[in-house]
Amino acid sequence: MSMPVGVRPKSLHLYIRTFGCQMNEYDSLRVRRLLAPLGYETVADIEEADLIFLNTCSVREKAEQKVLSFIGALRRLKERKPHLKIVAAGCVAQQLGGKLLNRFDHLDAVVGTRGVGLIAQVLEKIQKTNGRSVCLPEENPPVPDEDGREMFDSGDLTAPVTVMQGCNNFCTYCIVPYVRGPERSRPAVDILHEIECLEASGVREVLLLGQNVNSYGRGLSEDTTFAGLIRRIAGETGITRIRFTTSHPKDLTDDLMGCFAEVNKLCKHLHLPVQSGSNSVLARMNRRYTASDYIAKVERLRSICPDIALTSDIIVGFPGETEEDFRMTMDLLEKVRFDNLFSFRYSDRPGTKAAGFAEKVDPEIGLQRLIELQAYQAEVTLRKNLAEVGLVREVLIEGSSRASNGQMSGRTTHNRIVNFDASPVLCGKIQQVKITGAYSHSLKGDIVGRVDVYMPGK
Ligand code: 5AD
Ligand code: SF4
């Protein structure tokens, strides 16, 4: 329906809460894009909401519990504001479907991972009928349908861009292939177009997303690899910085490693989840590499790009993990010395192969291992941060510091957060910052100069 010129639709308030990974962040951004033309504007205060959109995560049990208790707590708000609509989407919604509606009678709709593009239709249905809806399409939609992207300006300086969805790897602990479906790559022209639109709206840095970006291009009619895609983005768009996540070690090619040395716009940081340092655990996880394969890839990468920052994921307490297996993980951490690490205690995910494995590790032992590993890594991360002091780094200024102390904040190419004094007008600019101090999670510094825009094509 077209509006008469000069008449804006009444503004409705949308509150979005995103749990979990960047895939969900991206889907939440799509919901903002798709609902903006219907008059929805995002609000930060949940009390003001006409619509609450929850993007849920089921990757670990703890994440799922957090989501369920959050939904439960919304009952009171709905009682006070009966016109409020609450929609749950994402991986928990996909997995539980109608059961989620049965469990929470204040929930208005459940939208599966393949249904995010249909959010406007779902809303129309529940508003018109004042009923409830379950939207769980079985078909895999094109990745993703991007209605409205040209018109939408999120005001962000960094933005996620999906390059592929789903996963075919079936690591035995992981629920993703079940809730996100098989791997599908998105045509390069669409990705390039989206990045151009983002850039025109002021975005300076894109984060290319996929469960396993290294297998990008499989199944597309054009002959493209992920390394090829990065080179095209660097050469054909005006975006200033490129990051990506996540890579599976078994598929990390020399070509992609080469990009870190050759493509200036590509930030020098690789997230390369190893999960364990024990070959028998890795085999039972179905990771299809050994600890020495992993270390060999890291050595090769560091020979190509010596100052690359490396981060990883670790699961402790996987079924059957012995003390010796855990020591092998600690050995691997000592050998690689990651810049940062995300570590988790194993939790059973329904329907996965590992959930059926006997020999579950005592949760208390799992916790002890996690504590030991995190204490070790905290020390390594701090030392690596301290080694930055005195260096001058290029920082993309992204906004106010989280410490809300009047400082501004940005990230180095290595993905380290730096806080410093600067005028807010510098947001979106890359500046040379001299690092003057280091903490566990951030650095501090002083601006010492500005950086000119990168040469196109590099
Ligand atoms: N239990 C614990 N950690 C898990 N992850 C994925 N599934 C599980 C599980 N069942 C971790 C992995 C993965 C990260 C996103 O979450 O380390 O890389
Ligand atoms: Fe899950 Fe493994 Fe696929 Fe990553 S590669 S999403 S851990 S199945």
Side-chain angles (χ1 to χ4, degrees):
M1 194 182 70
S2 64
M3 284 278 163
V5 179
V7 177
R8 283 169 61 96
K10 178 181 165 299
S11 165
L12 291 158
H13 290 165
L14 165 66
Y15 176 89
I16 299 191
R17 176 71 194 263
T18 310
F19 297 86
C21 68
Q22 281 111 345
M23 297 285 164
N24 276 5
E25 295 285 350
Y26 184 71
D27 282 343
S28 294
L29 192 62
R30 287 178 63 208
V31 166
R32 284 171 66 192
R33 283 177 192 159
L34 291 166
L35 296 186
L38 303 182
Y40 281 94
E41 80 181 55
T42 320
V43 289
D45 182 359
I46 197 165
E47 295 282 332
E48 287 178 17
D50 302 298
L51 169 63
I52 297 179
F53 181 85
L54 304 173
N55 217 338
T56 63
C57 171
S58 59
V59 77
R60 290 172 296 275
E61 197 179 348
K62 218 164 147 185
E64 189 173 323
Q65 279 162 0
K66 207 162 134 190
V67 166
L68 295 176
S69 65
F70 190 87
I71 299 178
L74 293 178
R75 181 184 303 277
R76 303 266 295 276
L77 189 59
K78 176 93 174 191
E79 279 164 7
R80 276 191 284 124
K81 292 179 72 174
H83 85 280
L84 172 69
K85 298 287 180 212
I86 307 176
V87 178
C91 297
V92 177
Q94 177 67 39
Q95 206 190 336
L96 298 182
K99 285 189 208 147
L100 208 54
L101 282 192
N102 296 342
R103 177 158 172 186
F104 299 107
D105 56 14
H106 57 291
L107 203 57
D108 296 284
V110 167
V111 177
T113 51
R114 299 175 184 90
V116 173
L118 301 171
I119 182 68
Q121 288 91 316
V122 172
L123 269 188
E124 193 184 343
K125 191 168 156 199
I126 58 178
Q127 274 158 347
K128 266 198 181 147
T129 61
N130 212 16
R132 308 172 83 203
S133 173
V134 176
C135 172
L136 290 175
E138 282 182 16
E139 286 277 299
N140 293 311
V143 188
D145 43 20
E146 281 302 322
D147 311 0
R149 73 186 148 180
E150 278 90 351
M151 304 175 283
F152 186 73
D153 178 357
S154 66
D156 296 336
L157 292 163
T158 63
V161 174
T162 290
V163 302
M164 51 131 27
Q165 279 188 352
C167 182
N168 294 347
N169 284 322
F170 288 92
C171 300
T172 54
Y173 51 81
C174 186
I175 202 163
V176 167
Y178 304 92
V179 288
R180 290 265 171 189
E183 180 185 298
R184 289 96 69 201
S185 289
R186 185 176 176 201
V189 281
D190 285 8
I191 297 168
L192 290 163
H193 179 58
E194 181 170 3
I195 294 175
E196 275 161 8
C197 293
L198 289 169
E199 193 214 336
S201 77
V203 167
R204 305 294 309 277
E205 177 182 301
V206 285
L207 175 63
L208 309 178
L209 291 181
Q211 295 297 345
N212 181 12
V213 289
N214 308 98
S215 57
Y216 173 77
R218 236 183 259 163
L220 285 181
S221 53
E222 58 203 297
D223 188 17
T224 325
T225 60
F226 187 59
L229 178 71
I230 289 179
R231 292 197 171 93
R232 281 191 71 182
I233 295 171
E236 295 175 32
T237 76
I239 206 76
T240 307
R241 274 181 165 187
I242 305 167
R243 298 184 189 273
F244 65 85
T245 198
T246 290
S247 298
H248 195 302
K250 76 177 163 57
D251 300 321
L252 179 61
T253 60
D254 274 9
D255 195 17
L256 184 56
M257 293 191 206
C259 287
F260 285 108
E262 294 153 28
V263 181
N264 273 341
K265 290 178 172 184
L266 181 64
C267 290
K268 291 186 174 21
H269 166 223
L270 178 65
H271 184 63
L272 194 64
V274 61
Q275 312 296 1
S276 170
S278 151
N279 291 341
S280 68
V281 171
L282 287 169
R284 275 178 291 123
M285 287 177 163
N286 190 31
R287 292 291 288 176
R288 288 173 276 179
Y289 54 82
T290 62
S292 46
D293 294 338
Y294 184 92
I295 290 169
K297 290 233 171 167
V298 168
E299 281 169 358
R300 174 136 189 82
L301 180 64
R302 284 178 171 160
S303 73
I304 292 171
C305 182
D307 78 328
I308 191 152
L310 258 184
T311 58
S312 197
D313 292 344
I314 297 273
I315 297 176
V316 298
F318 185 77
E321 184 189 72
T322 61
E323 184 59 27
E324 202 186 344
D325 291 321
F326 175 63
R327 291 294 139 214
M328 290 176 187
T329 298
M330 294 300 291
D331 280 354
L332 185 135
L333 298 196
E334 267 178 46
K335 283 193 184 114
V336 176
R337 292 179 64 79
F338 290 105
D339 291 78
N340 214 338
L341 204 58
F342 301 89
S343 47
F344 314 100
R345 190 156 44 134
Y346 168 81
S347 63
D348 275 341
R349 300 289 61 216
T352 60
K353 218 166 167 190
F357 289 176
E359 294 194 303
K360 294 280 148 61
V361 171
D362 177 343
E364 196 45 44
I365 293 180
L367 184 61
Q368 286 313 316
R369 288 179 186 165
L370 192 65
I371 291 170
E372 179 181 340
L373 184 144
Q374 290 182 340
Y376 172 77
Q377 183 59 41
E379 169 109 26
V380 175
T381 300
L382 181 60
R383 277 177 192 274
K384 292 220 170 202
N385 285 352
L386 284 166
E388 294 283 303
V389 175
L391 300 176
V392 174
R393 294 294 191 194
E394 289 180 6
V395 175
L396 171 64
I397 306 188
E398 291 174 30
S400 304
S401 152
R402 272 199 176 185
S404 46
N405 53 2
Q407 287 200 311
M408 301 298 283
S409 183
R411 274 171 307 140
T412 66
T413 185
H414 301 120
N415 213 26
R416 290 193 169 86
I417 294 168
V418 191
N419 297 312
F420 42 85
D421 290 325
S423 157
V425 298
L426 288 177
C427 261
K429 301 271 186 298
I430 294 203
Q431 299 283 308
Q432 304 257 21
V433 176
K434 181 162 188 181
I435 309 302
T436 55
Y439 310 98
S440 317
H441 301 290
S442 65
L443 307 173
K444 65 174 179 173
D446 293 323
I447 293 184
V448 290
R450 60 159 295 180
V451 177
D452 286 320
V453 174
Y454 290 120
M455 295 295 289
K458 281 299 182 112

